[in-house]
Amino acid sequence: MLTTWRNWLNREPSGYARRTPLILINGLAEQPESWYANLPFLRRHFDVFLPNLLVYDGLCLQRRIDDGQPIDVEFLVDQLYQFLDQFVQTPPFHLVASSLGCKIAAEFAVRFPEMVARLVLLCPSGLSDEERLPIVDGVRRSDMKSLVHSVFHDPSCADPRLLTFYERQFKNRRWRTGLLRTVRGTTEHRIVDCFSRLQQPTLVVVGLEDKICDPQQSLDAMPLLAHGRLLALPQCGHAPQIEKAEEINQAIHEFLTHPVRELAVAEAV
């Protein structure tokens, strides 16, 4: 039965059809490439877009820094709106976000409810009283080992290519400046109040071994959601889209394609 289910999930769609746009929004320490374990599967079922909002050494963020303006969640929500308005243009969209990206997705869904169909929030940042940001320590001390062990429950899940990317970027002064200014502008932003205003069906994924965002505080916030669903993953850290890719791919597909009434209220894998 399990093999049959997986074969059905991974099948190629039959014929041509316009599919619902799915927007992947990465977190503070990630780049769009961090969805490498999810993209092949998701592209079989959705029109997938990856707005690269956090190009730390890019012209947009650097101009804003030069002008003395903050890199905050409000600015990033505006950037997401411009991307969707200009390059996707077919709402409503599904938003799938990770960590800091969840702040952007949740605020966007509250501000533009007619543009968002459903949300999937992976290890959402902004629900915990305090959050540890290992990438900042990694940048300041060039400590990649600490970064990996903070993000993953199983450090062997870290792709060596991603680590090579960060080792290179840590040496880039403009990149470091962009990252640290983004940390300064977004860290204190909380989305607990935002949860109570979300009307879209929302799946929250919690890694029970998350060392960055307190998983218990995420669980405590679930009753605030009008149409919330929970997936709690044991032996999983702050990057479930990598560490538990198969479970995440299946959960996203099921949540975004099934009628809401057929979805379980809570689930632990």
Side-chain angles (χ1 to χ4, degrees):
M1 179 64 72
L2 182 58
T3 300
T4 302
W5 170 247
R6 287 176 178 169
N7 288 342
W8 180 84
L9 280 175
N10 286 283
R11 78 194 193 288
E12 291 290 344
S14 57
Y16 173 81
R18 184 178 293 277
R19 293 170 290 176
T20 303
L22 187 156
I23 316 303
L24 296 175
I25 308 173
N26 54 273
L28 179 72
E30 304 157 10
Q31 298 298 301
E33 293 80 6
S34 65
W35 299 99
Y36 64 87
N38 319 106
L39 278 172
F41 173 84
L42 294 175
R43 280 176 169 157
R44 296 189 184 108
H45 306 284
F46 306 95
D47 286 334
V48 180
F49 296 85
L50 295 91
N52 199 353
L53 304 178
L54 296 172
V55 185
Y56 295 125
D57 57 350
L59 295 177
C60 181
L61 262 66
Q62 291 295 322
R63 278 198 303 268
R64 194 166 174 87
I65 291 170
D66 291 342
D67 292 341
Q69 296 179 293
I71 311 299
D72 54 15
V73 172
E74 182 177 1
F75 163 71
L76 295 171
V77 169
D78 289 340
Q79 292 293 101
L80 178 59
Y81 177 85
Q82 290 182 42
F83 174 85
L84 296 176
D85 182 59
Q86 295 180 35
F87 301 108
V88 186
Q89 303 186 40
T90 53
F93 316 112
H94 295 317
L95 304 183
V96 177
S98 172
S99 192
L100 168 61
C102 297
K103 296 182 182 182
I104 302 168
E107 293 287 359
F108 184 93
V110 168
R111 193 189 302 183
F112 307 105
E114 72 285 352
M115 296 181 69
V116 179
R118 300 187 187 187
L119 296 97
V120 178
L121 306 178
L122 309 176
C123 295
S125 177
L127 297 174
S128 304
D129 294 332
E130 294 184 15
E131 295 173 358
R132 183 165 177 255
L133 298 176
I135 191 169
V136 176
D137 293 335
V139 168
R140 289 173 176 165
R141 300 182 306 184
S142 297
D143 186 359
M144 287 299 302
K145 184 177 180 180
S146 172
L147 173 61
V148 170
H149 282 266
S150 296
V151 173
F152 295 97
H153 172 67
D154 178 3
S156 68
C157 292
D159 190 303
R161 292 168 296 180
L162 204 58
L163 302 184
T164 300
F165 167 81
Y166 281 116
E167 288 174 348
R168 182 176 67 251
Q169 294 301 83
F170 283 4
K171 301 173 184 177
N172 181 335
R173 183 183 62 81
R174 284 167 60 86
W175 189 91
R176 294 198 311 270
T177 299
L179 168 68
L180 295 175
R181 287 292 295 270
T182 303
V183 169
R184 183 191 307 175
T186 61
T187 299
E188 299 302 320
H189 189 101
R190 295 291 175 262
I191 57 171
V192 175
D193 291 341
C194 194
F195 259 40
S196 63
R197 293 181 286 156
L198 283 173
Q199 295 304 309
Q200 298 88 347
T202 302
L203 172 64
V204 177
V205 178
V206 176
L208 294 178
E209 311 301 330
D210 192 336
K211 301 182 184 72
I212 295 173
C213 297
D214 183 355
Q216 186 57 53
Q217 290 190 295
S218 295
L219 297 176
D220 292 344
M222 288 301 300
L224 298 174
L225 291 170
H227 306 288
R229 302 293 187 270
L230 170 67
L231 177 60
L233 295 170
Q235 299 182 346
C236 180
H238 192 64
Q241 72 273 27
I242 298 175
E243 198 161 11
K244 299 288 184 179
E246 184 173 349
E247 291 95 325
I248 292 300
N249 291 341
Q250 293 181 6
I252 290 173
H253 180 273
E254 180 178 353
F255 182 74
L256 297 183
T257 59
H258 282 57
V260 175
R261 64 180 177 275
E262 295 182 8
L263 297 169
V265 173
E267 180 182 358
V269 173

